[in-house]
Amino acid sequence: PWKLASAEKTAKCLLEKFAALQFPAAGHQTVSIGVTEAVPGEHLDNLLVRVDKALYEAKRGGKNRYVVL
C-alpha cells in the first residue's frame, strides 16, 4: 500500500509533467489533484468523500495544485 508521502510525491510529479505538456488543439492546460490515504477498515464511501473534498480544495486554491487531506 502507498503511504501518504509517496502519494504526495507522485501528485507533485504529475503536476510538473502535465505543466510541461502543450496540447495541439487546447494549448497549455492545468490539473488539480486530491490526495488522501485510506484508513484501515474505512468504508470506501468515506475515502471517496475525503479525496473529493481534497480535489475541490485544490480547484478552489488555484490552477495546477494538489491538496492532501
Side-chain angles (χ1 to χ4, degrees), residues 37-68:
E37 186 174 31
V39 176
E42 176 180 36
H43 194 276
L44 179 59
D45 287 348
N46 293 337
L47 173 66
L48 294 176
V49 165
R50 195 167 57 255
V51 76
D52 192 53
K53 181 178 177 183
L55 170 62
Y56 280 95
E57 282 188 29
K59 288 180 178 235
R60 279 191 299 272
K63 297 181 184 236
N64 218 40
R65 292 176 34 103
Y66 68 92
V67 169
V68 179

Side-chain angles (χ1 to χ4, degrees), residues 6-38:
S6 179
E8 184 174 0
K9 182 178 177 181
T10 300
K12 183 177 179 182
C13 181
L14 286 170
L15 286 179
E16 292 169 357
K17 299 282 185 186
F18 198 84
L21 295 176
Q22 207 45 280
F23 295 92
H28 177 74
Q29 299 294 304
T30 61
V31 66
S32 300
I33 302 172
V35 179
T36 196
E37 186 174 31

